[in-house]
Amino acid sequence: YPLVNIWGNSEGLLVTAELPGLDVKDIHLTAKADTLTLEVDRKSEVFDLKDLCVHRAERGSEGFIKTVRLPYEVNGDKISAKYSNGVLKVNLPRTESSKPRKITVTHE
């Protein structure tokens, strides 16, 4: 958890993750070279019902850390992230050195 989608082109990557019910202050991102780490501080739900018995617990109730390997190195100085309607979107531009280079082939 969470499930993550990663799209890319020659300019960079877009990473999305569904994180419903969180406050933006509980989401922490770090990037280094070709890895992105998502850390979430989530507080457990507390109920005041005496003798409460759990019949089903599928929703996560604690924080987590998820690290994903990116297909190439990204420029950490230009990363941007937005969180809206429970979806985190992270734009990760490629470093110049990781961008594909066109090579011209000449005739001898």
XYZ file of all heavy atoms in Angstrom:
848
model
N 0.847 -1.169 0.000
C 0.000 0.000 0.000
C 0.888 1.225 0.000
O 1.887 1.218 0.700
C -0.913 -0.001 1.227
C -1.828 1.195 1.249
C -2.998 1.192 0.501
C -1.513 2.318 1.985
C -3.831 2.292 0.508
C -2.343 3.412 1.992
C -3.502 3.391 1.252
O -4.317 4.470 1.245
N 0.564 2.266 -0.675
C -0.482 2.387 -1.675
C -0.004 1.856 -3.017
O 1.188 1.703 -3.257
C -0.718 3.887 -1.752
C 0.642 4.463 -1.569
C 1.302 3.546 -0.547
N -0.956 1.637 -3.897
C -0.601 1.281 -5.256
C -0.134 2.546 -5.959
O -0.691 3.622 -5.760
C -1.805 0.681 -5.969
C -2.359 -0.593 -5.326
C -3.581 -1.071 -6.075
C -1.303 -1.678 -5.253
N 0.898 2.427 -6.763
C 1.535 3.580 -7.402
C 1.559 3.366 -8.911
O 1.844 2.265 -9.373
C 2.979 3.757 -6.864
C 3.729 4.798 -7.642
C 2.949 4.104 -5.384
N 1.257 4.412 -9.661
C 1.398 4.398 -11.117
C 2.548 5.320 -11.487
O 2.694 6.400 -10.900
C 0.128 4.888 -11.814
C -1.028 3.930 -11.649
O -0.843 2.737 -11.450
N -2.240 4.445 -11.723
N 3.337 4.907 -12.474
C 4.450 5.728 -12.948
C 4.363 5.808 -14.471
O 4.346 4.781 -15.146
C 5.819 5.135 -12.546
C 5.920 4.989 -11.025
C 6.954 6.005 -13.089
C 7.185 4.288 -10.562
N 4.282 7.041 -14.988
C 4.291 7.295 -16.428
C 5.529 8.107 -16.738
O 5.974 8.909 -15.911
C 3.068 8.101 -16.862
C 1.775 7.360 -16.748
C 1.238 6.492 -17.654
C 0.836 7.442 -15.674
N 0.025 6.034 -17.198
C -0.244 6.599 -15.985
C 0.802 8.137 -14.475
C -1.346 6.430 -15.157
C -0.287 7.979 -13.645
C -1.346 7.129 -13.993
N 6.075 7.945 -17.931
C 7.263 8.701 -18.278
C 7.363 9.001 -19.756
O 6.710 8.370 -20.581
N 8.181 10.001 -20.061
C 8.539 10.326 -21.432
C 9.979 10.812 -21.428
O 10.676 10.666 -20.413
C 7.565 11.349 -22.044
C 7.555 12.674 -21.326
O 8.505 13.031 -20.618
N 6.488 13.427 -21.489
N 10.422 11.401 -22.517
C 11.821 11.815 -22.595
C 12.159 12.965 -21.651
O 13.321 13.214 -21.368
C 12.182 12.195 -24.032
O 11.399 13.302 -24.445
N 11.149 13.661 -21.148
C 11.386 14.814 -20.267
C 11.325 14.472 -18.775
O 11.907 15.167 -17.955
C 10.386 15.921 -20.569
C 10.551 16.511 -21.963
C 11.938 17.090 -22.182
O 12.409 17.857 -21.320
O 12.546 16.761 -23.206
N 10.572 13.438 -18.399
C 10.472 13.117 -16.991
C 9.385 12.110 -16.692
O 8.873 11.429 -17.575
N 9.015 12.048 -15.407
C 8.056 11.066 -14.922
C 6.898 11.745 -14.205
O 7.060 12.822 -13.626
C 8.719 10.115 -13.924
C 9.876 9.280 -14.434
C 10.596 8.623 -13.268
C 9.372 8.243 -15.408
N 5.755 11.072 -14.210
C 4.622 11.448 -13.375
C 4.292 10.230 -12.534
O 4.045 9.148 -13.062
C 3.402 11.847 -14.218
C 2.110 12.061 -13.427
C 2.257 13.245 -12.465
C 0.936 12.259 -14.359
N 4.342 10.408 -11.223
C 4.011 9.338 -10.284
C 2.725 9.728 -9.580
O 2.594 10.865 -9.103
C 5.136 9.135 -9.244
C 4.748 8.089 -8.207
C 6.437 8.745 -9.936
N 1.757 8.800 -9.520
C 0.520 9.056 -8.797
C 0.293 7.951 -7.775
O 0.680 6.800 -7.987
C -0.706 9.138 -9.732
O -0.891 7.885 -10.383
C -0.545 10.248 -10.757
N -0.344 8.338 -6.672
C -0.697 7.382 -5.620
C -2.016 7.813 -4.995
O -2.215 9.003 -4.730
C 0.392 7.326 -4.556
N -2.901 6.863 -4.772
C -4.159 7.159 -4.098
C -3.930 7.092 -2.602
O -3.516 6.064 -2.074
C -5.240 6.170 -4.529
C -5.663 6.351 -5.963
C -6.811 5.446 -6.362
O -7.378 4.755 -5.491
O -7.146 5.438 -7.550
N -4.192 8.213 -1.931
C -3.981 8.326 -0.489
C -5.195 8.998 0.151
O -5.103 10.115 0.667
C -2.717 9.146 -0.207
C -1.416 8.610 -0.789
C -0.314 9.643 -0.656
C -1.031 7.312 -0.095
N -6.352 8.348 0.126
C -7.565 8.995 0.622
C -7.519 9.255 2.131
O -6.923 8.495 2.888
C -8.671 8.000 0.276
C -7.979 6.685 0.193
C -6.599 6.975 -0.311
N -8.148 10.352 2.512
C -8.338 10.657 3.926
C -7.132 11.186 4.670
O -7.141 11.238 5.890
N -6.098 11.595 3.949
C -4.902 12.107 4.619
C -4.867 13.624 4.596
O -5.488 14.264 3.754
C -3.638 11.581 3.935
C -3.380 10.091 4.031
C -2.140 9.732 3.230
C -3.227 9.660 5.478
N -4.125 14.187 5.519
C -3.837 15.613 5.521
C -2.484 15.783 4.837
O -1.576 14.959 5.035
C -3.781 16.130 6.965
C -3.764 17.634 7.034
O -2.888 18.243 6.368
O -4.605 18.209 7.733
N -2.336 16.821 4.042
C -1.098 17.032 3.294
C 0.128 17.083 4.211
O 1.216 16.679 3.820
C -1.207 18.282 2.391
C -1.209 19.557 3.208
C -0.111 18.308 1.355
N -0.031 17.510 5.443
C 1.105 17.587 6.383
C 1.602 16.205 6.809
O 2.698 16.076 7.347
C 0.756 18.432 7.602
C -0.287 17.844 8.516
C -0.520 18.740 9.722
C -1.629 18.266 10.607
N -1.691 16.894 10.933
N 0.815 15.168 6.551
C 1.208 13.805 6.918
C 1.923 13.066 5.790
O 2.299 11.912 5.938
C -0.028 12.998 7.339
C -0.680 13.572 8.588
O 0.041 14.138 9.425
O -1.909 13.460 8.709
N 2.109 13.726 4.643
C 2.752 13.109 3.480
C 4.157 13.681 3.332
O 4.335 14.891 3.260
C 1.934 13.375 2.200
C 0.511 12.834 2.350
C 2.628 12.772 0.992
C -0.421 13.265 1.237
N 5.157 12.796 3.274
C 6.554 13.214 3.172
C 7.201 12.487 1.993
O 7.107 11.262 1.886
C 7.315 12.887 4.452
C 6.603 13.350 5.688
N 6.554 14.673 6.072
C 5.867 12.667 6.585
C 5.838 14.777 7.174
N 5.407 13.573 7.507
N 7.843 13.247 1.111
C 8.506 12.689 -0.068
C 9.993 12.999 -0.037
O 10.394 14.097 0.351
C 7.940 13.302 -1.352
C 6.523 12.946 -1.727
C 6.054 13.822 -2.875
C 6.436 11.485 -2.113
N 10.793 12.032 -0.464
C 12.216 12.277 -0.675
C 12.611 11.588 -1.978
O 12.074 10.533 -2.319
C 13.096 11.736 0.478
O 12.814 10.352 0.677
C 12.838 12.498 1.766
N 13.532 12.210 -2.693
C 14.030 11.631 -3.940
C 15.538 11.697 -3.934
O 16.132 12.677 -3.484
C 13.469 12.388 -5.138
N 16.143 10.631 -4.429
C 17.594 10.595 -4.541
C 17.938 9.749 -5.755
O 17.534 8.588 -5.833
C 18.219 9.997 -3.283
C 19.722 9.989 -3.311
C 20.300 9.480 -2.021
C 21.814 9.501 -2.109
N 22.439 8.951 -0.919
N 18.634 10.364 -6.687
C 19.065 9.696 -7.925
C 17.875 9.058 -8.629
O 17.065 9.754 -9.213
C 20.167 8.698 -7.633
N 17.717 7.735 -8.531
C 16.628 7.050 -9.240
C 15.648 6.364 -8.285
O 15.045 5.345 -8.621
C 17.194 6.043 -10.249
C 17.956 4.921 -9.569
O 18.258 5.042 -8.363
O 18.255 3.917 -10.239
N 15.472 6.933 -7.091
C 14.494 6.387 -6.149
C 13.607 7.498 -5.591
O 14.046 8.631 -5.404
C 15.147 5.653 -4.959
O 15.978 6.560 -4.247
C 15.945 4.449 -5.413
N 12.356 7.151 -5.339
C 11.396 8.053 -4.708
C 10.846 7.339 -3.491
O 10.404 6.188 -3.585
C 10.258 8.395 -5.671
C 9.147 9.283 -5.108
C 9.663 10.705 -4.855
C 7.959 9.315 -6.056
N 10.882 8.017 -2.349
C 10.361 7.432 -1.121
C 9.180 8.254 -0.638
O 9.271 9.479 -0.511
C 11.441 7.375 -0.020
O 12.531 6.582 -0.498
C 10.905 6.760 1.259
N 8.086 7.560 -0.374
C 6.853 8.152 0.125
C 6.658 7.644 1.545
O 6.627 6.439 1.783
C 5.678 7.733 -0.760
C 4.266 8.008 -0.263
C 4.032 9.491 -0.080
C 3.259 7.405 -1.228
N 6.555 8.583 2.474
C 6.331 8.225 3.876
C 5.066 8.927 4.349
O 4.887 10.118 4.110
C 7.520 8.656 4.729
C 7.419 8.228 6.160
C 8.689 8.496 6.956
O 9.699 8.940 6.366
O 8.664 8.269 8.173
N 4.195 8.178 5.010
C 2.928 8.717 5.490
C 2.800 8.458 6.980
O 3.011 7.336 7.443
C 1.737 8.088 4.731
C 0.418 8.440 5.392
C 1.742 8.550 3.284
N 2.465 9.507 7.725
C 2.150 9.393 9.142
C 0.637 9.347 9.262
O -0.027 10.355 9.032
C 2.669 10.609 9.925
C 4.175 10.735 9.851
O 4.851 9.702 9.787
O 4.667 11.870 9.841
N 0.108 8.190 9.543
C -1.343 8.046 9.677
C -1.625 7.601 11.106
O -1.005 6.680 11.612
C -1.886 7.014 8.700
C -3.389 6.870 8.797
C -3.903 5.813 7.881
N -3.607 6.171 6.506
C -3.892 5.402 5.468
N -4.447 4.253 5.631
N -3.597 5.787 4.260
N -2.574 8.251 11.719
C -2.948 7.910 13.093
C -4.022 6.831 13.073
O -4.924 6.841 12.246
C -3.484 9.145 13.832
C -2.578 10.372 13.735
C -1.213 10.109 14.342
C -0.343 11.332 14.304
N 0.633 11.399 13.282
N -3.921 5.900 13.990
C -4.932 4.851 14.109
C -6.250 5.444 14.552
O -6.300 6.395 15.333
C -4.495 3.792 15.126
O -3.341 3.134 14.689
N -7.337 4.867 14.034
C -8.668 5.307 14.450
C -8.921 4.844 15.874
O -8.582 3.725 16.248
C -9.735 4.724 13.521
C -9.641 5.245 12.118
C -10.647 4.577 11.199
O -10.754 3.354 11.241
O -11.313 5.327 10.466
N -9.515 5.721 16.661
C -9.822 5.395 18.049
C -11.327 5.470 18.235
O -11.961 6.459 17.877
C -9.122 6.385 19.018
C -9.484 6.067 20.448
C -7.618 6.340 18.802
N -11.896 4.404 18.766
C -13.337 4.360 19.017
C -13.575 4.243 20.510
O -12.840 3.567 21.222
C -13.973 3.157 18.302
C -13.826 3.222 16.819
C -12.827 2.508 16.161
C -14.686 4.002 16.062
C -12.692 2.573 14.799
C -14.558 4.074 14.683
C -13.562 3.354 14.060
N -14.619 4.889 20.988
C -14.953 4.862 22.405
C -15.997 3.801 22.738
O -16.623 3.861 23.780
C -15.475 6.246 22.847
C -14.370 7.281 22.853
O -13.201 6.893 23.013
O -14.676 8.466 22.693
N -16.191 2.873 21.863
C -17.195 1.841 22.104
C -16.599 0.727 22.964
O -15.577 0.147 22.638
C -17.702 1.265 20.781
C -18.305 2.280 19.804
C -18.627 1.594 18.492
C -19.556 2.895 20.400
N -17.260 0.452 24.057
C -16.792 -0.578 24.968
C -17.004 -1.949 24.338
O -18.006 -2.191 23.690
C -17.549 -0.479 26.293
C -16.950 -1.288 27.387
C -17.634 -0.998 28.693
C -16.847 -1.680 29.791
N -17.240 -1.229 31.096
N -16.049 -2.845 24.523
C -16.120 -4.212 24.019
C -16.289 -4.265 22.496
O -17.016 -5.105 21.966
C -17.251 -4.992 24.702
C -17.059 -5.077 26.199
O -15.893 -5.210 26.616
O -18.051 -4.998 26.937
N -15.632 -3.382 21.802
C -15.714 -3.324 20.346
C -14.995 -4.534 19.740
O -13.881 -4.853 20.104
C -15.073 -2.036 19.824
C -15.097 -1.800 18.329
C -16.545 -1.637 17.853
C -14.302 -0.573 17.985
N -15.660 -5.218 18.836
C -15.105 -6.384 18.162
C -14.951 -6.055 16.680
O -15.905 -5.630 16.040
C -16.035 -7.579 18.347
S -15.452 -9.062 17.508
N -13.769 -6.248 16.136
C -13.528 -5.973 14.725
C -14.001 -7.167 13.896
O -13.589 -8.295 14.116
C -12.029 -5.716 14.461
C -11.769 -5.528 12.987
C -11.547 -4.536 15.263
N -14.886 -6.907 12.945
C -15.373 -7.954 12.061
C -14.641 -7.951 10.727
O -14.550 -8.975 10.072
C -16.881 -7.795 11.816
C -17.681 -8.111 13.044
N -18.017 -9.390 13.383
C -18.175 -7.312 14.020
C -18.706 -9.374 14.508
N -18.803 -8.120 14.912
N -14.167 -6.796 10.318
C -13.392 -6.687 9.082
C -12.521 -5.442 9.193
O -12.998 -4.382 9.549
C -14.302 -6.568 7.871
C -13.530 -6.525 6.557
C -14.460 -6.404 5.380
N -15.283 -7.583 5.242
C -15.239 -8.424 4.229
N -14.391 -8.198 3.257
N -16.024 -9.457 4.164
N -11.252 -5.592 8.857
C -10.329 -4.448 8.891
C -9.465 -4.494 7.632
O -8.423 -5.145 7.609
C -9.473 -4.490 10.150
N -9.921 -3.826 6.568
C -9.192 -3.809 5.310
C -8.437 -2.505 5.090
O -7.475 -2.473 4.339
C -10.155 -4.042 4.135
C -10.762 -5.427 4.155
C -11.729 -5.663 3.006
O -12.072 -4.700 2.292
O -12.151 -6.812 2.834
N -8.898 -1.427 5.685
C -8.241 -0.134 5.524
C -7.015 -0.060 6.418
O -7.058 -0.475 7.573
C -9.196 0.998 5.905
C -10.321 1.176 4.929
C -11.265 2.306 5.320
N -10.556 3.475 5.761
C -10.898 4.161 6.867
N -11.895 3.781 7.604
N -10.220 5.231 7.204
N -5.931 0.480 5.861
C -4.735 0.664 6.667
C -4.989 1.689 7.755
O -5.700 2.666 7.550
N -4.435 1.463 8.914
C -4.682 2.388 10.011
C -3.397 2.913 10.626
O -3.431 3.561 11.655
C -5.531 1.706 11.083
O -4.843 0.586 11.607
N -2.271 2.616 10.013
C -1.007 3.123 10.529
C -0.195 3.695 9.379
O -0.515 3.493 8.215
C -0.249 2.003 11.231
C -0.974 1.489 12.464
C -0.145 0.505 13.249
O 1.068 0.405 12.990
O -0.716 -0.154 14.123
N 0.869 4.373 9.716
C 1.730 4.962 8.706
C 2.492 3.906 7.930
O 2.450 2.721 8.257
N 3.175 4.344 6.887
C 3.955 3.421 6.077
C 5.056 4.177 5.355
O 5.042 5.395 5.264
C 3.072 2.692 5.055
C 2.425 3.620 4.071
C 3.092 4.032 2.932
C 1.151 4.106 4.301
C 2.500 4.901 2.039
C 0.550 4.971 3.408
C 1.232 5.366 2.274
N 5.986 3.417 4.832
C 7.039 3.945 3.969
C 7.073 3.069 2.723
O 7.085 1.843 2.821
C 8.424 3.914 4.644
C 8.432 4.803 5.887
C 9.515 4.335 3.669
C 9.716 4.709 6.690
N 7.050 3.705 1.554
C 7.142 2.967 0.297
C 8.210 3.624 -0.558
O 8.174 4.824 -0.799
C 5.808 2.981 -0.437
C 5.864 2.195 -1.743
C 4.497 1.926 -2.298
C 4.608 0.989 -3.489
N 3.347 0.360 -3.802
N 9.150 2.831 -1.029
C 10.203 3.320 -1.914
C 10.050 2.637 -3.262
O 9.876 1.421 -3.331
C 11.598 3.021 -1.326
O 11.715 3.696 -0.064
C 12.702 3.499 -2.254
N 10.070 3.443 -4.314
C 9.973 2.897 -5.667
C 11.224 3.260 -6.449
O 11.763 4.362 -6.306
C 8.709 3.384 -6.411
C 7.463 2.825 -5.784
C 8.641 4.888 -6.478
N 11.672 2.333 -7.239
C 12.823 2.558 -8.101
C 12.321 3.180 -9.394
O 11.380 2.675 -10.005
C 13.511 1.231 -8.383
C 14.781 1.337 -9.160
C 15.945 1.495 -8.188
N 17.166 1.725 -8.890
C 18.148 0.846 -8.961
N 18.046 -0.315 -8.370
N 19.240 1.156 -9.607
N 12.908 4.270 -9.786
C 12.525 4.972 -11.005
C 13.368 4.462 -12.169
O 14.486 3.987 -11.960
C 12.716 6.481 -10.804
C 11.979 7.067 -9.597
C 12.386 8.513 -9.373
C 10.477 6.940 -9.765
N 12.865 4.564 -13.396
C 13.606 4.025 -14.531
C 14.852 4.821 -14.915
O 15.654 4.345 -15.716
C 12.593 4.034 -15.675
C 11.550 5.005 -15.267
C 11.540 5.030 -13.775
N 14.998 6.018 -14.364
C 16.191 6.816 -14.625
C 16.333 7.872 -13.540
O 15.442 8.082 -12.726
C 16.171 7.476 -16.012
C 14.833 8.054 -16.412
C 14.350 9.229 -15.858
C 14.042 7.412 -17.357
C 13.133 9.748 -16.223
C 12.820 7.930 -17.739
C 12.365 9.100 -17.171
O 11.156 9.614 -17.534
N 17.475 8.536 -13.529
C 17.778 9.557 -12.526
C 16.944 10.809 -12.774
O 16.727 11.217 -13.906
C 19.263 9.892 -12.589
C 19.746 10.703 -11.418
C 21.256 10.819 -11.400
O 21.931 9.794 -11.549
O 21.728 11.958 -11.244
N 16.465 11.420 -11.675
C 15.646 12.622 -11.786
C 16.340 13.813 -11.141
O 17.223 13.661 -10.306
C 14.246 12.410 -11.147
C 13.468 11.348 -11.914
C 14.342 12.062 -9.681
N 15.924 15.010 -11.552
C 16.494 16.253 -11.052
C 15.762 16.660 -9.769
O 14.662 17.195 -9.815
C 16.363 17.334 -12.116
C 17.041 18.611 -11.728
O 17.274 18.873 -10.548
N 17.361 19.421 -12.707
N 16.373 16.413 -8.639
C 15.755 16.676 -7.346
C 15.393 18.130 -7.105
O 14.462 18.427 -6.359
N 16.086 19.059 -7.757
C 15.819 20.485 -7.557
C 14.538 20.954 -8.255
O 14.030 22.024 -7.949
C 16.988 21.322 -8.070
C 18.244 21.101 -7.251
O 18.128 20.772 -6.054
O 19.347 21.240 -7.812
N 14.032 20.150 -9.187
C 12.869 20.584 -9.959
C 11.630 19.712 -9.744
O 10.664 19.819 -10.481
C 13.222 20.612 -11.443
C 14.275 21.659 -11.761
C 14.523 21.750 -13.234
C 15.555 22.842 -13.520
N 15.817 22.956 -14.950
N 11.644 18.864 -8.735
C 10.496 17.999 -8.453
C 9.376 18.835 -7.845
O 9.613 19.709 -7.018
C 10.892 16.872 -7.484
C 11.900 15.945 -8.159
C 9.666 16.076 -7.032
C 12.497 14.913 -7.227
N 8.139 18.538 -8.259
C 6.972 19.198 -7.669
C 5.931 18.136 -7.332
O 5.863 17.094 -7.982
C 6.387 20.245 -8.626
O 5.916 19.619 -9.801
N 5.136 18.420 -6.300
C 4.112 17.462 -5.871
C 2.856 18.210 -5.449
O 2.930 19.273 -4.846
C 4.638 16.624 -4.714
N 1.701 17.609 -5.785
C 0.402 18.168 -5.402
C -0.474 17.043 -4.872
O -0.424 15.912 -5.377
C -0.275 18.838 -6.594
C 0.459 20.061 -7.076
C -0.278 20.738 -8.185
C 0.543 21.971 -8.607
N -0.150 22.806 -9.528
N -1.293 17.375 -3.890
C -2.222 16.413 -3.296
C -3.614 17.019 -3.355
O -3.850 18.090 -2.818
C -1.811 16.116 -1.853
C -2.722 15.159 -1.134
C -2.787 13.816 -1.496
C -3.512 15.593 -0.080
C -3.616 12.939 -0.832
C -4.341 14.714 0.593
C -4.388 13.388 0.214
O -5.208 12.506 0.882
N -4.526 16.341 -4.045
C -5.880 16.852 -4.205
C -6.855 15.689 -4.314
O -6.595 14.726 -5.053
C -5.957 17.734 -5.452
O -7.265 18.207 -5.645
N -7.966 15.790 -3.603
C -9.019 14.765 -3.661
C -8.483 13.362 -3.416
O -8.915 12.403 -4.059
C -9.767 14.823 -4.990
C -10.486 16.138 -5.184
O -11.033 16.704 -4.243
N -10.475 16.641 -6.401
N -7.534 13.235 -2.507
C -7.015 11.923 -2.141
C -5.994 11.338 -3.093
O -5.587 10.191 -2.936
N -5.549 12.121 -4.091
C -4.570 11.621 -5.054
C -3.311 12.490 -5.005
O -3.386 13.713 -5.112
C -5.135 11.609 -6.484
C -4.081 11.132 -7.484
C -6.376 10.726 -6.563
N -2.175 11.844 -4.815
C -0.879 12.519 -4.833
C -0.308 12.417 -6.244
O -0.277 11.333 -6.837
C 0.081 11.846 -3.845
C 1.504 12.372 -3.825
C 1.542 13.805 -3.291
C 2.391 11.463 -2.988
N 0.129 13.560 -6.803
C 0.763 13.599 -8.123
C 2.139 14.220 -7.962
O 2.263 15.338 -7.454
C -0.063 14.422 -9.104
C -1.392 13.795 -9.433
C -2.176 14.647 -10.418
C -3.516 14.003 -10.710
N -4.325 14.820 -11.619
N 3.152 13.500 -8.407
C 4.533 13.960 -8.282
C 5.146 14.030 -9.682
O 5.160 13.034 -10.409
C 5.366 13.001 -7.397
C 6.765 13.569 -7.181
C 4.670 12.740 -6.066
N 5.629 15.215 -10.053
C 6.324 15.413 -11.334
C 7.823 15.382 -11.073
O 8.330 16.145 -10.253
C 5.931 16.751 -11.957
C 4.536 16.700 -12.519
O 4.253 15.921 -13.417
N 3.648 17.521 -11.970
N 8.508 14.495 -11.787
C 9.940 14.300 -11.599
C 10.664 14.487 -12.934
O 10.697 13.577 -13.762
C 10.209 12.881 -11.071
C 9.511 12.551 -9.752
C 8.628 11.352 -9.901
C 10.537 12.350 -8.685
N 11.244 15.668 -13.169
C 11.982 15.888 -14.421
C 13.280 15.079 -14.455
O 13.920 14.880 -13.423
C 12.285 17.377 -14.416
C 11.661 17.948 -13.213
C 11.181 16.844 -12.345
N 13.652 14.643 -15.640
C 14.900 13.906 -15.811
C 16.100 14.828 -15.658
O 16.027 16.014 -15.959
C 14.976 13.324 -17.220
C 14.105 12.144 -17.454
C 14.261 11.658 -18.856
N 15.176 10.528 -18.857
C 15.135 9.547 -19.735
N 14.270 9.579 -20.723
N 15.978 8.542 -19.662
N 17.198 14.250 -15.228
C 18.457 14.994 -15.276
C 18.892 15.071 -16.739
O 18.537 14.203 -17.545
C 19.561 14.301 -14.459
O 19.756 12.993 -14.980
C 19.227 14.241 -12.974
N 19.637 16.087 -17.078
C 20.121 16.226 -18.457
C 20.955 15.015 -18.864
O 20.860 14.541 -19.991
C 20.928 17.516 -18.623
C 20.080 18.775 -18.627
C 19.056 18.798 -19.748
O 19.395 18.436 -20.894
O 17.901 19.166 -19.479
N 21.751 14.512 -17.934
C 22.624 13.386 -18.276
C 21.862 12.087 -18.512
O 22.388 11.168 -19.132
C 23.676 13.180 -17.187
O 23.043 12.848 -15.964
N 20.612 11.988 -18.040
C 19.846 10.756 -18.248
C 18.915 10.822 -19.455
O 18.280 9.832 -19.801
C 19.022 10.431 -16.995
O 17.902 11.297 -16.885
N 18.824 12.008 -20.083
C 17.960 12.142 -21.254
C 18.582 11.431 -22.450
O 19.804 11.434 -22.618
C 17.725 13.613 -21.598
C 16.814 14.308 -20.617
C 16.557 15.738 -21.037
C 15.637 16.420 -20.056
N 15.385 17.814 -20.447
N 17.740 10.834 -23.293
C 18.278 10.168 -24.485
C 18.949 11.174 -25.420
O 18.495 12.300 -25.547
C 17.045 9.560 -25.157
C 15.882 9.839 -24.300
C 16.303 10.742 -23.207
N 20.016 10.759 -26.024
C 20.756 11.604 -26.966
C 20.641 11.005 -28.354
O 20.815 9.797 -28.535
C 22.229 11.681 -26.589
C 22.476 12.191 -25.183
C 22.519 13.689 -25.171
N 22.955 14.146 -23.869
C 22.249 14.941 -23.106
N 21.081 15.372 -23.495
N 22.698 15.325 -21.944
N 20.357 11.852 -29.320
C 20.319 11.401 -30.707
C 21.744 11.342 -31.220
O 22.528 12.279 -31.044
C 19.486 12.359 -31.553
C 19.304 11.873 -32.959
C 18.352 12.738 -33.722
C 18.183 12.167 -35.116
N 17.188 12.897 -35.882
N 22.066 10.246 -31.844
C 23.410 10.050 -32.383
C 23.319 10.009 -33.896
O 22.551 9.236 -34.473
C 24.029 8.750 -31.853
C 24.114 8.800 -30.323
C 25.385 8.486 -32.485
C 24.440 7.496 -29.674
N 24.076 10.860 -34.543
C 24.084 10.919 -35.993
C 25.091 9.913 -36.530
O 26.249 9.886 -36.090
C 24.447 12.329 -36.475
O 23.510 13.245 -35.915
C 24.422 12.423 -37.985
N 24.647 9.121 -37.455
C 25.528 8.137 -38.092
C 25.939 8.718 -39.450
O 25.108 9.158 -40.219
C 24.786 6.797 -38.286
C 25.703 5.792 -38.990
C 24.302 6.260 -36.957
N 27.227 8.720 -39.686
C 27.742 9.270 -40.945
C 28.229 8.140 -41.841
O 28.546 7.039 -41.366
C 28.868 10.273 -40.694
O 29.928 9.607 -40.003
C 28.371 11.447 -39.878
N 28.320 8.435 -43.111
C 28.811 7.489 -44.090
C 30.315 7.647 -44.241
O 30.816 8.757 -44.359
C 28.095 7.727 -45.416
C 28.470 6.741 -46.475
N 28.150 5.415 -46.381
C 29.130 6.892 -47.640
C 28.585 4.803 -47.448
N 29.193 5.673 -48.238
N 31.034 6.558 -44.287
C 32.494 6.629 -44.463
C 32.857 6.793 -45.906
O 32.280 6.277 -46.804
C 33.151 5.370 -43.923
C 33.200 5.348 -42.434
C 34.054 4.196 -41.945
O 35.202 4.053 -42.401
O 33.573 3.447 -41.115
